[in-house]
Amino acid sequence: MKYATIGTSMITNEFINAAKEQGKLTLQAVYSRTEEQAKDFAKMHGAPQFYTELEELAKSDIECVYIASPNSMHFEQVTLFLKHKKHVICEKPIFSNRNELDKAFQTADENGVFLFEAMRNLHMPGHLALKEKLSGAGRIRSAVLDYSSYSSRYDKVKNGEVPNIFSLKFSGGALVDLGVYPLAIALDIFGKPEDITYSPTIIETGVDGSGTLILRYPDFICTILCSKISTSYNHSEIQGEEGTFTIDDIGTLANVRFIQSAGETIIYEEQSQHPMSYEIESFVNIMESNDQEKYNQFRKISTDILEITEKARKTNGIIFGIER
Ligand SMILES: NC(=O)c1ccc[n+]([C@@H]2O[C@H](COP(=O)([O-])OP(=O)(O)OC[C@H]3O[C@@H](n4cnc5c(N)ncnc54)[C@H](OP(=O)(O)O)[C@@H]3O)[C@@H](O)[C@H]2O)c1
């Protein structure tokens, strides 16, 4: 399947390398706003074509596009490609709010193409192993999922700059950037919570630099911690009456253990494949086999994530530029 990329930052490099490893997507074209960058990026990755006009790329004979632009640009770009009947893999957070998501999925349906959110950890073997073994913990009584990692881009904030990921204009902030990873895992294994509350630490740019999201389930609370202005060295935990799962890194689910008073079992240990190759495999399988059931599972998670993050933001007065 011929695909193109939008965005020329580190994550697009990673996606291209993962796609090469996975083997089913062939890089046909790259897009950048500037010709020099587009040309260099195409050369670096061996892409036959490069574009500086999105419309032209959308009209080309690619079948699929990977979008890794700043968050607030996703909706317009995704819509353009869907309307040209291209499958779209869009980086997380897929959109700024639920309204954009509903409209985009409708456009995908109308044009008979797939739209995926690249939420890589949902596709990792560690997550699948955790899901399979979860019942071993018995009744779940507490979960604490933590994704806190100091961002070097916060140094720029300290110098008075507003990097995209720390800006309201580009729909940034800790919850939508990092908190969505543990949130996706929680939604996939526990389902949609009865209620949520969010307590953010708002920084000078107006976004949440860190925050605590509480997901309330009938039998337990799942606490999600996220930060881009400090780093956690704790692992994440899911505690049941019969035992506790520990997860070293909720972003990759490398190293998942199950601990009971009798001892410890390794559920999953570090994978050797490229971390993004699993999601690519998943998306390609869904597209090739037209697996609507799997597609709808991921679509539901993306929908619930946006409903929750939008509520979490708006109850705290975090309003993105496109929403003003
Ligand atoms: N899955 C993961 O592990 C992971 C990791 C990091 C990021 N992400 C996601 O990937 C997306 C991109 O994140 P990022 O940190 O790479 O973003 P970024 O560096 O701010 O921008 C990504 C690309 O978008 C273009 N761009 C930058 N500023 C722009 C602007 N003002 N207007 C239009 N285009 C602009 C640039 O490409 P050109 O200059 O070539 O046009 C740039 O390479 C986000 O949605 C993020 O959440 C995912």
Side-chain angles (χ1 to χ4, degrees), residues 72 167-171 313 319-324:
S72 63
S167 88
L168 290 170
K169 181 179 172 197
F170 289 102
S171 305
R313 281 192 299 109
I319 311 295
F320 290 151
I322 56 133
E323 297 169 329
R324 283 174 196 275

Side-chain angles (χ1 to χ4, degrees), residues 6-12 31-34 37-38 66-71 73-74 77 91-93 118 120 153 164-165 169-170 176-177 181 276 279:
I6 296 177
T8 52
S9 68
M10 170 279 293
I11 197 62
T12 307
Y31 162 86
S32 172
R33 292 166 298 168
T34 54
Q37 174 76 343
Y66 166 74
I67 298 181
S69 54
N71 303 338
M73 318 203 70
H74 292 175
Q77 295 176 343
E91 264 307 334
K92 44 55 65 177
R120 57 184 158 79
R153 294 184 197 183
N164 297 344
I165 202 54
K169 181 179 172 197
F170 289 102
V176 302
D177 191 50
Y181 287 108
M276 292 177 88
E279 63 182 333

Side-chain angles (χ1 to χ4, degrees), residues 13-15 17-19 21 124 271-278:
N13 275 312
E14 291 299 314
F15 185 92
N17 292 336
E21 186 177 299
M124 300 272 182
Q271 57 261 359
S272 54
Q273 270 178 242
H274 193 292
M276 292 177 88
S277 65
Y278 300 102

